[in-house]
Amino acid sequence: MSVLDRIGQKLLFSFDPETAHGLSIAALRCGLPVGATAPRRPTHDARLKVSLCGLDFPNPLGMAAGYDKNAEVPDALLGLGFGFAEVGTITPLPQPGNPKPRIFRLTADEAVINRLGFNNEGHAAAEKRLAARKGRPGIVGVNIGANKDSADRIADYERGVARFAPYASYLTVNISSPNTPGLRNMQAREQLGELLSRVMAARTGASAQPPVFLKIAPDLVEAELEDIAAEVIEKKIDGVIVSNTTLARVGLRSASLAGEAGGLSGKPLFERSTAVLARMRKLLGPQVTIVGVGGVDSVETALEKIRAGADLVQLYTGMIYAGPALPGRLVADMARFVGRERLKSIRELRDSNLEHWAAKSLSAAEPN
């Protein structure tokens, strides 16, 4: 991290996490990354290009959902060097989320616990912003969710597909947040089967047919992963995002905050999420797209996700601790790596460490 990055981090960390997040969004909206040096221009290296699901990703690194909840700054994020950006989670109706405080920095662990609860401005506000950028270059995914008090949560996802299909490069069905009561129950096979059937039917009836990804939790046992993989294959879902935050609290040094309710993200999530990713690659086979998320904060962790079976990787918490120059640095480091290793494409790395990660036990990191 550069001196400017450290100054910027110190400034932002002087605010509570939610205020700091709002300031960073405002800064990006104005074209000024907060207190850090962003790349003057993104690295463009043909060897980093990844083509899948009818989309050409200029590089495999994306911004995960949760940062730009209301689709305010997707183009600014792409300008930081990301190959794609995912906005949301967006629910049909605006909702405030859970009571504050609801974000906690575990600085000693380079982690965050959040219990935001899908706080967002709703479909109409996000649609207006996405419609305004229609036709611009860049891959922008839209992560859709259900309102907490919805009488028919599956219908909420159908509404999200219909509303955002014309504007989304891809759609992500998020049923893996731990902060909306009962949401993760939709990962159970019977509910998941109905959800995916109705979502895919909604896409068929929409004015555009972007790829559909499913975002899953890391806190799943082998049988649950098998059920999810079977439904993904049967319903012809285009991809899976592995994973959301975890309820586990294994090995944390920030003891005073470890007991806070919510999902844990950042460095401690890397091991578990990568093991689940490898399991899903084995279950889904080579053709289904997998996006690896959880603990990505360096070129080494990004590349290891790919070696474990990911086609693409995403980060969010890593940027909280390393600053907005992180994506540009990682993409430049990826370009140097493929050059040094004389790879024709970064895709050559995929699955090269699959067996190692798939063999790891999931029992050591079960949620409390």
Side-chain angles (χ1 to χ4, degrees), residues 7 38 217 248:
I7 293 170

Side-chain angles (χ1 to χ4, degrees), residues 182-195:
L183 188 75
R184 283 189 169 189
N185 295 339
M186 298 180 80
Q187 295 175 121
R189 187 160 189 177
E190 185 175 348
Q191 289 191 58
L192 181 63
E194 182 184 358
L195 168 69

Side-chain angles (χ1 to χ4, degrees), residues 60-75:
L61 184 69
M63 172 54 102
Y67 177 75
D68 188 9
K69 288 180 174 291
N70 296 304
E72 296 177 85
V73 291
D75 294 294

Side-chain angles (χ1 to χ4, degrees), residues 243-266:
S243 66
N244 213 313
T245 57
T246 181
L247 294 174
R249 300 289 190 267
V250 176
L252 295 179
R253 292 183 288 172
S254 307
S256 63
L257 294 173
E260 292 289 349
L264 175 77
S265 62

Side-chain angles (χ1 to χ4, degrees), residues 71 123-136 163-164 166-168:
H123 280 184
E127 182 186 25
K128 184 177 179 179
R129 296 185 183 110
L130 291 168
R133 75 167 302 278
K134 190 171 183 180
R136 293 182 198 168
R163 193 121 194 196
F164 295 111
Y167 313 111

Side-chain angles (χ1 to χ4, degrees), residues 211-277:
V212 172
F213 297 166
L214 175 69
K215 188 165 186 174
I216 66 171
D219 306 319
L220 296 163
V221 299
E222 194 74 39
E224 292 170 320
L225 295 175
E226 291 171 0
D227 285 347
I228 289 170
E231 290 298 327
V232 165
I233 292 169
E234 181 182 323
K235 304 303 188 297
K236 296 182 170 57
I237 303 302
D238 298 283
V240 177
I241 299 180
V242 185
S243 66
N244 213 313
T245 57
T246 181
L247 294 174
R249 300 289 190 267
V250 176
L252 295 179
R253 292 183 288 172
S254 307
S256 63
L257 294 173
E260 292 289 349
L264 175 77
S265 62
K267 193 180 287 289
L269 182 55
F270 179 78
E271 193 90 2
R272 171 82 186 204
S273 62
T274 308
V276 173
L277 156 64

